[in-house]
Amino acid sequence: KQWYQRRVAITAGIFGMFRHMYRTEGVLSMWRGNAVNVAKIMPEQALRFFLFEYLNETAAHFFPQLIQEHPTSFKFVCGGGTGLIIQAAMYPWEIVKTRRMTSNMGVF
């Protein structure tokens, strides 16, 4: 199955692939797995904003002089910490989304 999909994608281009998807699985195949993605985005963004602000305030409490001397570096480190936590927390959602998008219709 994967060989055929690669062959169609390589030989027919993007419009040929859309045509193939529409003919074999219908118009809903264009949005397969999107519901999981939409369900993942809202809590991910809310958690991202909360964590960045929380890390900023917490670190500012413990390292007030560092903020005054290196404000850009401080925000960069807080953003990096936020990204690490978010990636670890949201990775299971990515697995669900990927499996949903690559599974056959009606199979999960």
Side-chain angles (χ1 to χ4, degrees), residues 6 10 18 20-21 30-31 38 68 78 88 90 94 97 105:
R6 280 195 309 254
I10 291 170
F18 281 134
H20 174 73
M21 289 170 60
M30 308 293 179
W31 289 276
V38 171
Q68 293 173 356
C78 289
M90 291 296 147
E94 288 293 326
K97 180 180 81 167
M105 291 285 290

Side-chain angles (χ1 to χ4, degrees), residues 26-73:
V27 73
L28 292 179
S29 68
M30 308 293 179
W31 289 276
R32 184 187 306 157
N34 194 41
V36 176
N37 191 42
V38 171
K40 176 185 84 78
I41 294 285
M42 189 175 71
E44 178 181 351
Q45 292 302 321
L47 189 59
R48 184 181 311 273
F49 289 129
F50 169 76
L51 280 174
F52 183 73
E53 292 301 323
Y54 178 76
L55 288 178
N56 267 333
E57 290 176 16
T58 304
H61 178 71
F62 289 107
F63 307 106
Q65 186 178 0
L66 183 64
I67 294 175
Q68 293 173 356
E69 294 175 4
H70 306 288
T72 305
S73 299

Side-chain angles (χ1 to χ4, degrees), residues 1 5 25 32 99-108:
K1 179 179 176 180
Q5 287 174 343
E25 300 177 26
R32 184 187 306 157
R99 287 186 181 171
R100 179 67 187 116
M101 289 170 53
T102 58
S103 68
N104 293 331
M105 291 285 290
V107 177
F108 183 63

Side-chain angles (χ1 to χ4, degrees), residues 84-96:
L84 287 172
I85 295 168
I86 290 294
Q87 185 62 31
M90 291 296 147
Y91 186 73
W93 283 95
E94 288 293 326
I95 296 296
V96 170

